[in-house]
Structure formats: structure tokens, C-alpha cells
Amino acid sequence: MPRPGKNSYSDQKPPYSYISLTAMAIQSSQEKMLPLSDIYKFIMDRFPYYRENTQRWQNSLRHNLSFNDCFIKIPRRPDQPGKGSFWALHPDCGDMFENGSFLRRRKRFKLMRSEHLASKNPPMLHYFHHQHQQAKLGIGGAAAEPPGGLGRLPQFQTYSINGTQPGGFKHPFAIENIIGRDYKGMMAGGLPIASVMHHLGYPVPTQLSSVVNSMWPHVGMLSESMAPVPVSSEYGPFGVPMKSLYHPSGQTMPAVPVPIKATPALGQVAALPGLGSSPGHFLSRSIPAVPAIIL
DNA sequence: GCCTGTTTACACGAGT
DNA sequence: ACTCGTGTAAACAGGC
């Protein structure tokens, strides 16, 4: 397996916080929850940087999982052998990365005490168990859901702990939060993300039609050398195979719910030329097809 | 013993 | 200067 050059992304720390990386890993999974070991694996697969000093960053990552309320622990059921619990994203942890920086959140997601109890205890756990069971049984997933359904990430469909108003929810890793802003204005580590990514050896396309792949190059493009995921339009954000994003009916389905919000940025994306091919194609076509998310 | 998970402490940088 | 988010180290407990 060829090793990328010194100045390539492989030797550089990715411009994402552990929270971002963890969330990506969770989002990339079919059931939107992963055991710790799989989160490790996801990160190491896609970010060669994290194949070293594993003890250090994995300790930090575990610290993040426990410390940040945006991650919730889901116990395994008896029929799910294995070590450790599953980790999922809190349904209300949207909008954390509104400023576009995946290094530093605008604001930490913090639960109220009562919400803490709710998220650590039923019915939350029951809810996830239910969803997980459905996923296992193929109920409610892309394969079984009715046309126009939300596809994956069922826990974000209607569930809300504190009654977030409709339209107010923006999942930090929703497509909207990835591309629904001025791409050129995005910052990472105090620098425009485009320049950071360019500096790190990430491909920085000039066409916005490549935004998604460029935003997650390690997921969709990294593969050239490491090949955890092929470089092709078959893969969308978080390394989710595009195939899984397509509804059997032929409709495109997002891997994450895309709240309908008539933001100029989103309109720009949809209106921009050159979006005929995925993932731009996937985005521009899927957005209108996605039903409103009631939260 | 190893892995997982929690907690505490500290340092650092960004934002105000 | 202060607050806040993040990264890191470390100690500890519990489960397998």
C-alpha cells in the first residue's frame, strides 16, 4: 500500500475535533450508533494520523464521549454480545458547528439536569433500543420505510427532549451544516478551511459541486492511498455508500436528515450549475424530497 | 491484564 | 482579563 508523501494529509492532524470525528463515525454507521472500538476503527481507517499514538488520542476521545452531553451511551441488549456500550449522538445536539469550524464549536452542547436524567434513562434508552431493533429487523430503515420517509437516522425524526421548535433543529453533521454556508468563508483553526485543507494536501476544488467531497476528503477521497473507501461518487459524506442513500423508489435519500430551511446558502447550492453529478446531484435532488423534520 | 467508561486537573487558544 | 471549548494526562473503577 503506497504511503502518501510527508506533506499530504496522512501526516497532518485532520482539522476536526474529536467531537467532530466521533460524530462522523457515529453518523457513518447504519444504525447511527457505534461501540467505542468501531469509532476508533472509523477514525483510524480514514485518518492515518490517528494510527499513531493511539493511547493518547483514544483516551482523549473517551474523555470526550463521557464529558460531552452530545454523546449518549446506549447499553447493549443481551442479544448484542460485545464489549462496551453503543454511542450515539444526542438528538438535540444540533447547531454546534454553526460557525463552520470543525475544530471549535460555537457552543458546547449541554443538557439540563433533568434532560441528563432523561437521556441516561428510559424512555430515551427505550427509544433507541426500539429504533435499533427496527434497524436490525429492517423496519424503518431505507429498505422498509415508506416513500418520502427520512431514511436513516430515525432517532432524529421526531424525537425531541426539550421540545425544540420545528425548523430550529440543525444537526451539526447534516448536509445543511456541511454545505449550507459559504464554503469559502468556512474557517478551520482560524484559517479559511479551504486554505487549511489545501495546506494539508486535501483537494480543494473550485467548483462548489465538489463541496461535499472536499469537505470530507478523508472520507470520500482519502481512499486513493489508504483505500478504506473508493474515490467515487458512490460515497457520500461520512463514507456512507451512496447506494445506501438511495431509496428503492429511485428517490435520493440523505444519510442524515436535512431540515428544510430556506437559507440563501442552501438555495445557492441548489441553484448552482454543475451540480448534475453526485454528490451535488444527490444534494440538490434530495433536499426537496426530504420531508420536514418535526422536532 | 486489557478495555471501557468516568472523573479530575491542567494547559492552551479563540472569542468576548 | 475572563470565559469557554478543546486536548492531554492521569487516576480510578468495573467488566470480561
Side-chain angles (χ1 to χ4, degrees):
Chain A
M1 186 184 292
R3 199 164 183 274
K6 179 142 183 64
N7 290 328
S8 72
Y9 52 80
S10 65
D11 295 319
Q12 306 286 333
K13 188 169 187 172
Y16 308 111
S17 66
Y18 289 125
I19 297 174
S20 303
L21 294 170
T22 306
M24 280 183 220
I26 292 171
Q27 285 288 19
S28 76
S29 69
Q30 276 206 340
E31 296 171 0
K32 306 305 169 196
M33 55 188 213
L34 283 178
L36 186 61
S37 57
D38 284 354
I39 296 174
Y40 292 159
K41 198 147 54 124
F42 176 94
I43 293 172
M44 285 193 286
D45 277 352
R46 285 157 179 80
F47 301 94
Y49 174 86
Y50 289 111
R51 289 171 192 170
E52 295 171 1
N53 301 316
T54 53
Q55 199 169 0
R56 183 167 62 180
W57 69 262
Q58 288 179 354
N59 183 25
S60 296
L61 194 142
R62 287 195 305 274
H63 160 76
N64 270 280
L65 283 171
S66 293
F67 184 71
N68 289 292
D69 292 338
C70 60
F71 299 113
I72 50 180
K73 199 172 63 174
I74 302 168
R76 289 177 186 265
R77 293 194 317 274
D79 61 319
Q80 297 173 311
K83 288 190 79 172
S85 307
F86 286 96
W87 289 94
L89 283 167
H90 192 286
D92 280 0
C93 72
D95 215 13
M96 285 192 305
F97 294 87
E98 195 180 59
N99 63 356
S101 171
F102 291 88
L103 271 178
R104 190 181 174 87
R105 286 177 297 177
R106 187 197 55 167
K107 188 177 169 218
R108 192 157 76 96
F109 175 73
K110 194 85 183 132
L111 285 179
M112 297 288 100
R113 183 172 164 74
S114 58
E115 292 171 340
H116 240 300
L117 293 173
S119 68
K120 305 280 184 206
N121 296 289
M124 172 61 110
L125 294 184
H126 285 170
Y127 177 84
F128 277 96
H129 275 269
H130 174 66
Q131 294 294 347
H132 186 220
Q133 188 67 31
Q134 283 194 329
K136 278 190 74 176
L137 297 171
I139 305 167
E145 70 183 334
L150 276 173
R152 308 289 185 190
L153 204 65
Q155 63 266 43
F156 292 98
Q157 192 167 0
T158 57
Y159 189 83
S160 173
I161 278 184
N162 61 4
T164 306
Q165 292 304 307
F169 173 78
K170 276 184 297 190
H171 193 276
F173 300 94
I175 296 296
E176 181 192 4
N177 269 343
I178 298 168
I179 68 163
R181 61 177 70 87
D182 186 356
Y183 169 63
K184 295 192 181 103
M186 292 187 71
M187 306 291 284
L191 294 169
I193 197 163
S195 71
V196 170
M197 292 168 72
H198 177 74
H199 175 71
L200 296 180
Y202 289 96
V204 181
T206 54
Q207 297 285 334
L208 194 57
S209 61
S210 304
V211 161
V212 171
N213 261 344
S214 61
M215 287 313 302
W216 311 96
H218 44 283
V219 173
M221 291 182 173
L222 172 90
S223 42
E224 277 179 83
S225 54
M226 309 316 299
V229 180
V231 182
S232 83
S233 58
E234 293 193 0
Y235 287 83
F238 319 118
V240 177
M242 292 298 284
K243 280 175 187 169
S244 71
L245 306 181
Y246 283 81
H247 190 271
S249 69
Q251 270 186 310
T252 53
M253 297 301 294
V256 292
V258 183
I260 295 176
K261 184 185 171 190
T263 62
L266 199 59
Q268 258 185 321
V269 170
L272 272 172
L275 294 178
S277 57
S278 59
H281 180 56
F282 145 70
L283 288 167
S284 60
R285 282 192 52 190
S286 61
I287 288 169
V290 178
I293 297 171
I294 302 164
L295 284 168

